[in-house]
Amino acid sequence: MVIRDLAVPVPVIQGGMGVGVSLSRLAGNVAKCGGIGIISTAQIGYQEPEFDANPIESNLKAIGKQIKRAKEIAMGGIVGANIMVATKKYEEYVRAAVKAGADLIISGAGLPTLLPALVEQSKTKIAPIVSSVKSASVICKLWDRKFKRCPDLVVIEGPKAGGHLGFSLEELEEFQEEAYETEIKGILRLIKQYSEKYQYHIPVVVAGGIYDGKDLRHAMELGADGVQVATRFVTTWECDASEAYKQAYVNAKKEDIQIVKSPVGMPGRAIFNEFIRRTQTGEEVKHWKCHQCLEKCNQKDIPYCITDALIHAVEGNLEQGLIFCGANAWRAKKIEHVSEIMEEFAQEFAKI
Ligand SMILES: Cc1cc2nc3c(=O)[nH]c(=O)nc-3n(C[C@H](O)[C@H](O)[C@H](O)COP(=O)(O)O)c2cc1C
């Protein structure tokens, strides 16, 4: 897969996972193995000593540190950042990632309308995450009109993804594989028009439920250039989450994986646990301080603090944590090395 001047030997992007699930160790190792490693900037500074007092400064500092460390591990491989549009100080985080030398910025959880302006005069590539022909069309039209440019890459994220989902509860309930594949083909057709207009190939990757070489093959048969994979990389030795977090995946059964309501206002997917049970029964989960994560969050109205819940989970305090995962998390049977997973994808890709 080629993204403008970036050649990607294995067309696998490791999806950004916040809070703290994909940091430098995971991203660096995926990049080292020929894929693209993506750091999630969502509360990336949570391990910084001054995080409680000053989350935004801590996050800005950590973006630089984590990208630098990932690039050292990657030894020339491609490292990018996932920065959600819905986060407070989105523009500052993007600028910090560009300054730190991120090769690519992937932005979802809203449409990244201003992203082209934020990377101007840098080599950083940009990719919106879309989940329908409509959202793909809106962002392409807008960038074309306002910035005379188009995306360097497009990520299509489907309903089987992990974390917050770009679909309503009703859409998730009515999900049909065939309709989704029609949507993917529609997006591919649309992006082809922009490729023709701008005279370079804009690669499109699909995300959500991609677990093995067979899934990569299927995505490429639909016309995609590659895939974005997140859940599969959680159960690796190199993943930045605690061992308890990874074990929760290994132990999860299919029926443990549920759609949950999140204070972010979008549905999310997570492994059912005591924390989810408490929030579903309406029990109030106390939070004492705002960590400045989202642009739109009213402390008084939320059932729990999403930052607290995700930090508890990544640190291994599972009783109080929200364990985000994709629909295929139950397929994990053991902890693997990133190199083994990448080898599996590389072998299938070579056959394709
Ligand atoms: C634990 C977890 C955390 C995630 N966090 C983010 C995030 O912070 N921002 C984002 O845009 N996507 C996030 N995602 C979505 C992934 O980047 C990815 O697109 C999606 O999960 C792909 O589906 P898969 O997990 O089935 O491979 C997260 C996914 C998981 C599993």
Side-chain angles (χ1 to χ4, degrees):
M1 179 166 74
V2 177
I3 309 171
R4 307 296 302 266
D5 60 345
L6 293 178
V8 193
V10 187
V12 173
I13 301 177
Q14 160 260 308
M17 292 180 277
V19 171
V21 179
S22 71
L23 298 180
S24 54
R25 197 169 47 168
L26 178 58
N29 276 285
V30 173
K32 186 168 117 187
C33 294
I36 301 184
I38 301 286
I39 285 166
S40 161
T41 64
Q43 302 294 45
I44 187 172
Y46 84 98
Q47 290 161 313
E48 296 288 325
E50 72 279 21
F51 178 72
D52 268 346
N54 202 341
I56 288 160
E57 280 304 312
S58 303
N59 289 337
L60 288 168
K61 202 195 281 179
I63 288 174
K65 273 196 208 171
Q66 295 285 347
I67 291 179
K68 184 167 175 275
R69 219 179 283 156
K71 290 207 142 199
E72 283 162 8
I73 300 170
M75 298 195 298
I78 305 168
V79 172
N82 175 298
I83 311 180
M84 289 186 288
V85 180
T87 43
K88 249 187 193 146
K89 305 287 173 193
Y90 169 76
E91 295 180 17
E92 283 185 44
Y93 292 157
V94 173
R95 289 206 167 96
V98 172
K99 193 165 161 228
D103 296 306
L104 167 70
I105 287 172
I106 300 182
S107 276
L111 284 177
T113 51
L114 294 177
L115 189 52
L118 306 175
V119 298
E120 228 167 19
Q121 301 196 340
S122 78
K123 290 188 79 181
T124 307
K125 311 292 181 288
I126 50 175
I129 302 177
V130 299
S131 46
S132 62
V133 176
K134 193 173 163 207
S135 55
S137 170
V138 169
I139 198 70
C140 287
K141 247 190 217 157
L142 200 133
W143 286 6
D144 180 39
R145 184 165 42 85
K146 209 164 161 191
F147 303 104
K148 308 266 171 296
R149 68 163 296 172
C150 59
D152 298 310
L153 163 86
V154 173
V155 179
I156 307 177
E157 196 180 73
K160 290 187 188 165
H164 289 112
L165 306 167
F167 299 88
S168 66
L169 283 175
E170 297 74 41
E171 284 169 326
L172 291 169
E173 270 161 21
E174 287 163 15
F175 167 67
Q176 281 177 337
E177 195 76 43
E178 255 174 52
Y180 174 54
E181 292 192 353
T182 307
E183 202 71 28
I184 293 178
K185 287 180 188 156
I187 298 172
L188 285 164
R189 273 196 300 276
L190 174 89
I191 299 304
K192 194 157 174 256
Q193 290 167 16
Y194 283 91
S195 282
E196 280 160 9
K197 175 165 181 184
Y198 283 88
Q199 303 216 322
Y200 60 81
H201 181 66
I202 306 166
V204 176
V205 299
V206 296
I210 309 288
Y211 207 80
D212 56 20
K214 210 170 119 233
D215 300 325
L216 168 67
R217 174 179 286 273
H218 183 63
M220 294 190 76
E221 278 167 2
L222 286 175
D225 296 86
V227 289
Q228 175 168 290
V229 180
T231 295
R232 177 83 190 266
F233 286 113
V234 171
T235 43
T236 58
W237 297 105
E238 293 82 4
C239 170
D240 296 271
S242 62
E243 295 315 305
Y245 193 97
K246 300 173 191 178
Q247 279 306 320
Y249 273 46
V250 174
N251 298 337
K253 294 192 236 23
K254 205 170 187 175
E255 58 273 22
D256 298 329
I257 297 166
Q258 294 197 358
I259 298 294
V260 295
K261 278 191 189 161
S262 145
V264 175
M266 299 167 167
R269 182 174 277 112
I271 300 175
F272 185 81
N273 64 353
E274 175 59 17
F275 176 78
I276 295 180
R277 191 199 60 75
R278 281 169 61 203
T279 61
Q280 284 177 348
T281 51
E283 197 178 311
E284 196 195 345
V285 182
K286 289 226 165 7
H287 52 98
W288 56 279
K289 195 174 191 319
C290 175
H291 304 288
Q292 308 288 323
C293 62
L294 297 167
E295 195 61 72
K296 289 188 188 130
C297 173
N298 192 345
Q299 259 208 87
K300 285 189 266 41
D301 301 335
I302 52 170
Y304 60 89
C305 165
I306 189 76
T307 287
D308 283 347
L310 293 177
I311 292 177
H312 282 313
V314 78
E315 288 183 331
N317 176 6
L318 302 186
E319 290 270 297
Q320 290 178 284
L322 180 63
I323 312 163
F324 269 160
C325 70
N328 275 336
W330 62 274
R331 286 178 66 179
K333 299 287 176 265
K334 58 174 195 259
I335 309 295
E336 301 170 280
H337 281 291
V338 162
S339 56
E340 297 170 271
I341 299 174
M342 290 302 293
E343 184 54 32
E344 191 183 323
F345 281 117
Q347 278 186 14
E348 190 65 29
F349 179 57
K351 282 191 236 157
I352 300 167

